Amino acid sequence: MILPILAERLKYLREQRNFKLKEVATAVGITPSAVGSLEHGRRPISIITLIKMAKFYGVSTDWLLGLTGNPERN
């Protein structure tokens, strides 16, 4: 199952910080088209990519997945 909240939050973070798809892709080791697919909910995210995204943006994986309203990492 692809979580709409994950897609929404990934896109929000990228746009809020003015990153291009290519910048995010390079940082987490996937292609720009894969980043776009994640942001549109067309592709499931691997655990490794989820962790890399959370580290890159400085947020918790729980927040990315919609399990908490607090984006801060513990």
Side-chain angles (χ1 to χ4, degrees):
M1 174 183 190
I2 299 170
L3 301 172
I5 189 110
L6 172 65
E8 183 181 300
R9 288 182 174 179
L10 288 174
K11 186 172 184 176
Y12 167 79
L13 287 167
R14 184 179 59 78
E15 289 178 345
Q16 180 190 44
R17 296 166 191 203
N18 295 314
F19 287 126
K20 297 187 182 310
L21 289 173
K22 186 175 182 178
E23 293 172 304
V24 176
T26 299
V28 299
I30 59 177
T31 65
S33 64
V35 175
S37 291
L38 289 170
E39 289 182 1
H40 287 93
R42 294 188 304 254
R43 176 187 180 132
I45 193 167
S46 72
I47 292 173
I48 298 296
T49 301
L50 175 67
I51 292 167
K52 288 179 180 180
M53 287 283 197
K55 285 183 179 181
F56 177 71
Y57 287 121
V59 298
S60 72
T61 55
D62 283 353
W63 182 79
L64 283 176
L65 295 171
L67 301 174
T68 182
N70 182 2
E72 292 184 23
R73 296 187 310 187
N74 292 332

